[in-house]
Amino acid sequence: MILLFLAFFSLFLQTTLGNNVFPDDFLFGVSTSAYQIEGGWNANGKGESIWDVFSHNNPDKIIDNSTGDVAADSYHQFREDLANLIYLGVHFYRFSISWPRVLPTGFINHVNPDGVKYYSDIIDQLLSNKIEPMVTMYNWDLPAMLQELGGWTNPNIGSYFVDYADFLFSKFSHKVKYWITFNEPGEICETGYGLGLNAPGINMSGIADYLCGKTVLLSHSKVYRLYKSKYNNGKLGISISTPWYEPKNKNVKADVKAAERAMQMEFGWWAHPIFSRHGDYPDIMKDRIKNLSLANNFTGTRLPYFSKDEIKRIRGSADFLGLNHYTTYLVSPNDYNTNLTSHVKDVGVKKEIDPKWPASKARWLKVVPWGLEKLLIWIKNEYNNPCIYITENGYPDDGGLLDMDRVRYLAGYIKSMLKAMQESQVNVKGYAVWSLMDNWEWIDGFTLKFGLYQIDYDDCARIRKPKSSVNFYRDLIHVMEIPAICFEGAPVIPKIEHI
Ligand SMILES: *[C@@H]1O[C@H](CO)[C@@H](O)[C@H](O)[C@H]1NC(C)=O
Ligand SMILES: *[C@@H]1O[C@H](CO)[C@@H](O)[C@H](O)[C@H]1NC(C)=O
Ligand SMILES: *[C@@H]1O[C@H](CO)[C@@H](O)[C@H](O)[C@H]1NC(C)=O
Ligand SMILES: *[C@@H]1O[C@H](CO)[C@@H](O)[C@H](O)[C@H]1NC(C)=O
Ligand SMILES: *[C@@H]1O[C@H](CO)[C@@H](O)[C@H](O)[C@H]1NC(C)=O
């Protein structure tokens, strides 16, 4: 009788509130990356990465002159992190392996057993607590020695990456079922080799970023083909980051075209070669870069093309699309009246925000939940409904335990994702919050706090404390339903427990 009542009551809730229930097999998780949390930058045989070199040599390029030398000290405190993952009840934990911690020089002939043991222990402890490990192989920390050879602008680096990947598969593929080759190829190549803002700090936009992109896409496909032929006991994908590009004025044809061009030349640069029916770079990207190269007196295009065979091998080289998404821009055309060669000029758009959108601590991140639904539908239509895991989504603030703005952000974006799944049948299989804890946010140092758990960076003990968002996310995972507290107008009640 009571059961019957409960069944009717939950039916009543669902019809009055809309169906906010996730499928049983949907996976919720959290994401981190090695350099941003581990510390132990030179511990027990680890080699230097380009981020060690960059942060040590260019303190002026990091907003608070900090480094990731200690970061969240996860190298020594993974037990604390594990306890927090268990408390949250996440289905998976997405973390990255530091290449130079495992192979200090980058080359396969020198293995660091301590580094292998560190990750092996993490994987075993996750599994014994029924948390699936999702492993990113490259989250920006290239072994410094490989940068001496040109890093990702050198096509030969790909074979060293394949050696490294093969090593990881040989050690862990019987335990790890979710693999991601690269985290955010756009940021690796554009911000690292084009704008020079990130490590390795190469400022050669419109040239080095495209060389890097070709190596990264080819390396990704080689690792995928290796995995399928030699291991093939899980899923392997790539995590691509993109905002949603909305036309500034939907009634202006040029704005609609510019927004589509931004989608194709920023996101499609990476997604089109892998997920589209015909593969290769988007046509608009090839056309524009060729025209602008010739106009600038290059003898041919600055975009290095793939051979027919390479196009074939890259196409289809992923079991899923990892999607990192944070925000939206309003887009209109902009020719950038300059002779400078740059990727920004190649794309030829102006990106703005609507001043009405709620802000965050980061200049670049405004709160626009509906952008995620539009992005997911665009991906479904453009790439024939691929399997998607949202591998990063999150909100930066100044810190503090009462993080209601983060709760509202997450609730809004998660609802938008569920709407795309329910109303447009977008094939989203999982979602991860960026990030488990406050970390070292690259050139923003410790000034942006993305964590569900707080860390006081003035305290050497690096004690983790749960924020209100821990309660929110834990409840959501527990019931697999967006909690009623998150509906429009309802008060959000903070409760902080569990230390
Ligand atoms: C960072 O370092 C630069 C010089 O390298 C110095 O001018 C600046 O004051 C420092 N800033 C902080 C916040 O320490
Ligand atoms: C990159 O080069 C351009 C043009 O020389 C310059 O304006 C810009 O400040 C440089 N950026 C960095 C990060 O060095
Ligand atoms: C590139 O130039 C060709 C020849 O002038 C022109 O037909 C084409 O429309 C241009 N493409 C783009 C994307 O500007
Ligand atoms: C390209 O070369 C031509 C001929 O030498 C010259 O007139 C033109 O100004 C050059 N264009 C640029 C963008 O430098
Ligand atoms: C581009 O270069 C050409 C030739 O050098 C020059 O005439 C023109 O004024 C330059 N344009 C800009 C925007 O600098």
Side-chain angles (χ1 to χ4, degrees):
M1 188 61 197
I2 289 184
L3 278 181
L4 199 64
F5 170 75
L6 283 178
F8 276 114
F9 184 65
S10 85
L11 194 68
F12 164 78
L13 276 183
Q14 279 180 26
T15 42
T16 47
L17 298 177
N19 182 355
N20 288 291
V21 183
F22 280 87
D24 284 344
D25 61 351
F26 193 86
L27 301 180
F28 283 104
V30 287
S31 275
T32 61
S33 96
Y35 187 73
Q36 294 178 272
I37 63 164
E38 285 178 2
W41 74 277
N42 61 356
N44 306 335
K46 176 179 168 292
E48 279 187 79
S49 80
I50 54 174
W51 276 95
D52 292 314
V53 172
F54 188 76
S55 65
H56 291 161
N57 295 352
N58 306 283
D60 52 314
K61 293 197 174 180
I62 316 293
I63 201 163
D64 56 2
N65 292 8
S66 63
T67 71
D69 286 0
V70 179
D73 197 30
S74 269
Y75 182 67
H76 300 105
Q77 300 201 36
F78 178 70
R79 266 171 201 290
E80 310 300 320
D81 298 337
L82 180 70
N84 294 337
L85 292 165
I86 293 169
Y87 182 79
L88 278 166
V90 289
H91 306 121
F92 70 98
Y93 177 45
R94 174 176 178 251
F95 64 98
S96 80
I97 291 183
S98 161
W99 184 349
R101 192 180 294 289
V102 172
L103 306 177
T105 56
F107 302 115
I108 192 67
N109 66 337
H110 176 190
V111 175
N112 175 26
D114 181 84
V116 178
K117 181 173 184 320
Y118 173 64
Y119 296 112
S120 179
D121 288 350
I122 289 180
I123 291 164
D124 288 344
Q125 290 177 60
L126 290 172
L127 289 174
S128 63
N129 287 285
K130 300 196 163 47
I131 300 170
E132 284 288 342
M134 181 183 273
V135 172
T136 308
M137 300 181 205
Y138 186 82
N139 207 120
W140 307 5
D141 41 1
L142 185 74
M145 210 172 276
L146 297 184
Q147 190 55 46
E148 299 289 307
L149 300 176
W152 294 107
T153 60
N154 178 345
N156 297 302
I157 297 304
S159 62
Y160 303 124
F161 183 68
V162 173
D163 284 347
Y164 161 62
D166 198 4
F167 178 78
L168 295 186
F169 294 146
S170 73
K171 291 286 174 198
F172 304 131
S173 75
H174 56 299
K175 295 177 176 171
V176 172
K177 299 300 160 204
Y178 296 89
W179 294 95
I180 289 162
T181 51
F182 291 94
N183 181 64
E184 302 186 347
E187 282 66 18
I188 294 167
C189 294
E190 207 181 323
T191 322
Y193 292 83
L195 303 173
L197 297 172
N198 280 1
I202 309 293
N203 183 5
M204 245 188 260
S205 186
I207 298 178
D209 39 10
Y210 297 141
L211 295 178
C212 167
K214 183 178 180 186
T215 313
V216 164
L217 281 162
L218 278 171
S219 305
H220 161 82
S221 73
K222 284 179 192 155
V223 168
Y224 181 80
R225 301 296 167 207
L226 167 80
Y227 182 66
K228 288 288 141 175
S229 63
K230 197 164 161 190
Y231 301 94
N232 201 23
N233 50 0
K235 296 182 182 187
L236 186 142
I238 182 168
S239 284
I240 307 174
S241 164
T242 187
W244 168 245
Y245 294 114
E246 175 79 3
K248 184 173 178 188
N249 182 338
K250 279 189 272 295
N251 301 318
V252 175
K253 223 169 153 188
D255 289 3
V256 173
K257 264 177 75 176
E260 176 67 14
R261 184 160 78 239
M263 284 307 303
Q264 293 292 353
M265 292 185 68
E266 302 285 18
F267 181 63
W269 178 359
W270 313 103
H272 199 277
I274 300 173
F275 295 97
S276 72
R277 208 161 86 111
H278 298 291
D280 202 1
Y281 297 116
D283 286 341
I284 181 79
M285 179 168 181
K286 292 169 75 175
D287 274 5
R288 277 188 68 94
I289 297 173
K290 186 171 178 196
N291 285 6
L292 286 165
S293 300
L294 295 173
N296 263 4
N297 289 342
F298 283 85
T299 53
T301 182
R302 286 173 274 109
L303 181 69
Y305 286 1
F306 296 113
S307 70
K308 279 211 170 69
D309 185 52
E310 289 169 339
I311 290 171
K312 231 166 72 189
R313 278 186 287 136
I314 297 172
R315 181 159 48 85
S317 64
D319 300 316
F320 63 89
L321 166 65
L323 184 65
N324 295 358
H325 175 75
Y326 293 89
T327 196
T328 286
Y329 288 103
L330 299 177
V331 174
S332 52
N334 184 346
D335 284 338
Y336 293 95
N337 186 25
T338 158
N339 286 339
L340 288 179
T341 290
S342 85
H343 171 67
V344 171
K345 183 174 164 75
D346 289 340
V347 181
V349 305
K350 181 173 180 190
K351 301 176 191 173
E352 295 168 88
I353 55 138
D354 181 336
K356 291 198 288 295
W357 292 341
S360 75
K361 181 71 196 301
R363 302 169 308 293
W364 55 269
L365 194 157
K366 309 296 169 190
V367 183
V368 195
W370 52 260
L372 177 55
E373 184 191 7
K374 289 199 175 190
L375 172 63
L376 289 170
I377 294 171
W378 187 92
I379 290 171
K380 179 192 171 189
N381 294 334
E382 188 70 17
Y383 304 125
N384 191 26
N385 202 16
C387 168
I388 300 172
Y389 288 83
I390 293 182
T391 40
E392 288 183 22
N393 175 240
Y395 178 86
D397 62 16
D398 272 325
L401 298 180
L402 288 179
D403 58 344
M404 290 307 114
D405 289 337
R406 175 168 297 102
V407 169
R408 271 187 282 274
Y409 176 97
L410 295 176
Y413 275 75
I414 291 171
K415 265 194 271 188
S416 179
M417 166 180 73
L418 186 59
K419 190 155 171 277
M421 294 162 61
Q422 290 176 341
E423 293 176 13
S424 307
Q425 288 74 51
V426 180
N427 188 14
V428 187
K429 295 298 222 184
Y431 169 94
V433 174
W434 180 270
S435 181
L436 174 60
M437 60 198 141
D438 295 340
N439 65 22
W440 191 78
E441 250 331 296
W442 311 111
I443 60 172
D444 288 312
F446 294 113
T447 64
L448 297 182
K449 316 288 191 186
F450 274 93
L452 299 176
Y453 282 84
Q454 180 191 60
I455 293 184
D456 176 359
Y457 280 99
D458 294 329
D459 180 351
C460 312
R462 299 291 198 266
I463 291 163
R464 283 103 164 106
K465 285 191 189 154
K467 305 180 189 179
S468 295
S469 52
V470 166
N471 293 313
F472 159 76
Y473 200 45
R474 178 176 193 254
D475 288 352
L476 185 155
I477 297 170
H478 188 65
V479 296
M480 294 297 277
E481 177 172 351
I482 300 168
I485 54 159
C486 299
F487 291 97
E488 239 46 75
V492 177
I493 301 142
K495 59 173 175 175
I496 299 178
E497 47 199 37
H498 155 68
I499 299 283

